[in-house]
Amino acid sequence: MPEKKQQHFETAFASNAEKMSRRDFFSWAQTGLAGTALMDLLLKPKPLRAAEPVNASLTTTHFPPRVKRVIHVCLIGGLSHLDSFDYKPTLKKLHGKVMPTDKKPETFFGKIGLLRKNDFEFQQRGQSGLWMSELFPHIANQADELTLIRSMKADSANHTPATFQENTGFRLNGFPVLGAWLSYGLGCETDELPSFVVMPDVRGYPAAGTINWSNGFLPALHQGVPFQSQGPAIRDLFPGREISKSTEVASRQLLNQFNQGHLERSGVNSDLVARIRSHELAAKMQLAVPKVTDLSGETAATKALYGMEREEAAPFGRNCLLARRLLEQGVRFVQLFSGGPFGSPRINWDGHEDVKRNHLREAARIDQPVAGLLKDLRQRGMLDDTLVLFSTEFGRTPFTQSASNTVGTGRDHNMNGFSVWMAGGGLKHGLSYGATDEFGWKSVEKPVAWHDYHATVLHFLGIDHTRLTYYHNGIERRLTNVHGEVIHDLLA
C-alpha cells in the first residue's frame, strides 16, 4: 500500500474508532491470533527471567519440591493391567474356568465370561525384578526407572466420567484438570510459551474433546493449549495475510483500548482477561513456537531413539520429543494422549472384542517413544527434576466379555483394580506398590484412589494438596476435594 494511502487509512481508522464496537472491530480486523501483544513486546523494558514463574498463585511452594515439571502420558480406553504390568499366574491355572466368587461381578456390559489367562508373557525385568509383560518390550527395559502402582481404583467404569476423574478428581465435567491446577499454582518458567500444553492423538481428540484439558472454574488462562500432531503446531497463530508493522501497531493499540474499555464497563471478566493475555502470549509464541517445534536440529540418533523412523510410532515419537523440548523451554505440564475417540473401528485401548490385537496395535505406537523419552531425559540430566506419569482411566476384567460358557478374546472395563506407573525425581525406582487379588479383579493391598494419586503428584512439586485452593460458588475448591493422602512409601 503506498505511504500516503497508508497514512490516510490509519487516520480514518483512528477517527472512526469510537463508532466501532469491539465485535465490529474483530470482524473488521481479520489479522489473526497475534492479539494485543505487539506493543507489549516493543515497550517491555526487559523479559521475565526464565526461573521466575509467570502468572503463579503461589509465591513459594509449601515445601522444597522434588521435581519442577511433569509429562503425563494418558492412555484412553482402559489398558489391561493383566496383560501389561500385573502378573497373575492364577489366571493361567484357571484359564477357561468360572471365576470363584460368592457375588456376581459387576461389569459395564453385563457379559461375564470365563477366566482368561494373560495374552502376553511376563518375566522379571531389570535389577529390580519387576514383573512386566512383552506387550511393552522397550518400556520393560526401563523397569528400574519405574515406580509401579498396582492397586489403583476408580469410581466409574464408564470411559468419559472415569477419564474426568483421572484428570480432575471428579466424575463430572466443569472441574479443572491437573495441568490447569499446576498452571494456576506454579505458573510457567517462561513467558513465551503456555504453562500447560496438550498433544492429542493424531487420530482425534478423546471423548468429550477439549473438556479433557479444561480450566474449569479456574481463570481461563490456565486451560491447556493443544498442539496439533500434524501440520502447524497451533492453528491461526499467524495472520492469513502479510500486514505492515505500522498497521499492526495501530490496530493493537486500538484493540487494547476496546478491551480496556469493555473491562471498565463490565467489571472483572476472567474470560476476557484470559483472551487479552492469550493474545499477548500469542505474539510471543509467533517467535517461540517455530523454534521449539523445529526438530531439524535433532540428531538422527535422537529421532531413532524415539522410534520416529517407524511409521506406526512416528506420530507419538514426535510428540514425546516435542514434550522434552517444551520442558527445556520452561513449560510446566505437558500431556500426551494415546488413543482417539470411541466408535468403530476402535482407535484407542478399549479392547472389548480382542485385547491382544487391540493392545498390540496401540503399544506399537507408544512403546518405543515412551521408553526413548525416559532414556533421553535421563541422559540429559532432566529426569531428576521431571515427573513422568503413565496412566489410564481403568483396567480390564480377568474374565472375558462373552457368554458365560465361552472363553472370548476381549475384556470388559474394570474400575476395581488396575495399574499405573511414575518415573523421575524423588521416587523409589524399581518399586511395586500395592496389589490386586489373585485374579487381578480388585485392589486388596494398599488401594490407591485418584485423590491419593493427585495428592502425591502435587507433593512432588512442593505443594500441599489441602492448601492449593480456589474459592468458587461458596466453596474452597481443590483438586483432591475433601480427600487424598500422600503415598509416602513412593518417596525416595
Side-chain angles (χ1 to χ4, degrees):
M1 183 181 293
E3 184 175 350
K4 289 185 178 180
K5 288 186 178 181
Q6 176 74 20
Q7 293 174 349
H8 175 75
F9 167 79
E10 292 173 359
T11 300
F13 182 85
S15 65
N16 288 317
E18 295 182 358
K19 300 178 183 179
M20 297 175 65
S21 69
R22 183 171 173 274
R23 184 179 296 276
D24 291 337
F25 175 75
F26 275 123
S27 299
W28 178 87
Q30 295 182 354
T31 53
L33 184 63
T36 61
L38 186 57
M39 288 305 296
D40 176 76
L41 287 173
L42 296 175
L43 300 177
K44 193 170 185 176
K46 63 178 180 178
L48 290 173
R49 291 178 289 110
E52 182 177 291
V54 182
N55 294 326
S57 69
L58 301 178
T59 56
T60 182
T61 54
H62 300 135
F63 36 80
R66 294 167 179 262
V67 298
K68 63 181 182 180
R69 52 206 173 190
V70 179
I71 293 178
H72 180 198
V73 180
C74 185
L75 277 57
I76 298 296
L79 168 70
S80 173
H81 56 298
L82 303 169
D83 297 290
S84 55
F85 301 113
D86 197 1
Y87 182 40
K88 297 298 177 184
T90 298
L91 293 182
K92 184 173 291 187
K93 296 176 183 177
L94 299 181
H95 178 74
K97 306 294 184 181
V98 175
M99 182 173 172
T101 179
D102 297 331
K103 183 178 179 181
K104 182 179 179 181
E106 294 181 8
T107 63
F108 188 71
F109 282 103
K111 295 181 179 180
I112 304 171
L114 302 177
L115 290 172
R116 180 177 180 81
K117 63 181 180 180
N118 43 286
D119 283 312
F120 303 94
E121 293 300 318
F122 277 76
Q123 67 182 64
Q124 290 181 285
R125 310 284 183 160
Q127 294 183 350
S128 59
L130 286 179
W131 285 95
M132 297 174 63
S133 85
E134 61 187 3
L135 174 64
F136 294 116
H138 292 90
I139 294 176
N141 287 334
Q142 298 296 306
D144 292 334
E145 295 282 12
L146 308 186
T147 304
L148 269 172
I149 303 176
R150 290 189 168 127
S151 54
M152 288 297 300
K153 61 178 185 177
D155 294 330
S156 176
N158 189 340
H159 290 293
T160 301
T163 303
F164 287 161
Q165 187 177 35
E166 175 187 8
N167 286 303
T168 72
F170 296 83
R171 284 171 286 169
L172 300 176
N173 62 25
F175 291 89
V177 299
L178 172 60
W181 277 110
L182 291 180
S183 173
Y184 165 69
L186 298 176
C188 195
E189 292 189 311
T190 176
D191 66 341
E192 296 180 344
L193 290 165
S195 57
F196 174 19
V197 172
V198 177
M199 282 181 272
D201 194 298
V202 69
R203 296 168 293 178
Y205 284 5
T210 59
I211 295 175
N212 288 284
W213 44 91
S214 169
N215 58 291
F217 45 72
L218 294 177
L221 63 95
H222 299 298
Q223 64 186 312
V225 176
F227 275 32
Q228 296 187 109
S229 298
Q230 290 182 327
I234 298 179
R235 296 174 181 172
D236 303 322
L237 182 61
F238 298 94
R241 59 183 175 84
E242 186 175 350
I243 58 176
S244 70
K245 182 177 295 186
S246 57
T247 300
E248 177 81 1
V249 171
S251 64
R252 300 310 164 216
Q253 286 178 322
L254 183 59
L255 179 56
N256 188 55
Q257 292 176 16
F258 279 131
N259 284 329
Q260 294 302 323
H262 185 72
L263 281 175
E264 291 172 3
R265 291 191 302 272
S266 62
V268 177
N269 183 321
S270 70
D271 289 340
L272 178 56
V273 171
R275 178 63 60 85
I276 294 172
R277 291 184 181 179
S278 72
H279 288 167
E280 295 172 351
L281 175 61
K284 302 166 189 175
M285 287 169 61
Q286 287 181 343
L287 299 176
V289 168
K291 292 180 181 178
V292 76
T293 58
D294 181 6
L295 306 183
S296 62
E298 298 288 346
T299 66
T302 297
K303 293 177 182 178
L305 180 65
Y306 285 85
M308 293 177 63
E309 79 285 0
R310 294 172 45 238
E311 181 179 358
E312 66 272 27
F316 204 81
R318 173 189 176 274
N319 285 353
C320 286
L321 178 53
L322 182 54
R324 186 216 82 203
R325 293 171 62 89
L326 287 167
L327 293 191
E328 287 177 316
Q329 298 305 312
V331 173
R332 181 73 63 184
F333 188 92
V334 180
Q335 190 168 34
L336 309 173
F337 282 91
S338 168
F342 295 93
S344 183
R346 299 187 188 279
I347 50 175
N348 48 47
W349 294 85
D350 199 19
H352 286 287
E353 295 83 9
D354 191 331
V355 167
K356 187 173 184 178
R357 184 172 65 178
N358 172 277
H359 278 29
L360 277 174
R361 182 195 67 215
E362 296 302 316
R365 301 176 66 89
I366 74 166
D367 178 37
Q368 187 174 354
V370 172
L373 174 64
L374 294 177
K375 288 181 181 178
D376 201 15
L377 291 174
R378 173 59 70 197
Q379 66 189 18
R380 291 173 185 272
M382 295 175 63
L383 197 56
D384 289 334
D385 58 7
T386 301
L387 184 63
V388 180
L389 308 175
F390 186 97
S391 69
T392 186
E393 69 264 41
F394 44 60
R396 315 302 296 192
T397 59
F399 44 82
T400 60
Q401 181 182 318
S402 61
S404 59
N405 61 345
T406 61
V407 180
T409 56
R411 300 186 191 273
D412 204 347
H413 306 170
N414 181 13
M415 67 181 188
N416 300 295
F418 56 101
S419 300
V420 302
W421 58 256
M422 302 177 177
L427 284 160
K428 291 180 181 176
H429 299 141
L431 172 74
S432 173
Y433 180 87
T436 54
D437 59 30
E438 61 179 326
F439 305 103
W441 169 235
K442 293 184 177 182
S443 296
V444 294
E445 180 185 321
K446 302 177 181 176
V448 177
W450 283 117
H451 295 307
D452 305 321
Y453 178 90
H454 291 147
T456 305
V457 171
L458 293 182
H459 184 87
F460 275 101
L461 289 146
I463 298 175
D464 180 345
H465 70 102
T466 67
R467 296 167 62 189
L468 180 64
T469 63
Y470 188 86
Y471 188 77
H472 174 69
N473 282 351
I475 302 175
E476 285 287 348
R477 289 289 191 183
R478 70 188 206 210
L479 174 62
T480 54
N481 198 7
V482 295
H483 310 287
E485 297 290 338
V486 174
I487 310 172
H488 291 282
D489 288 344
L490 304 185
L491 309 183

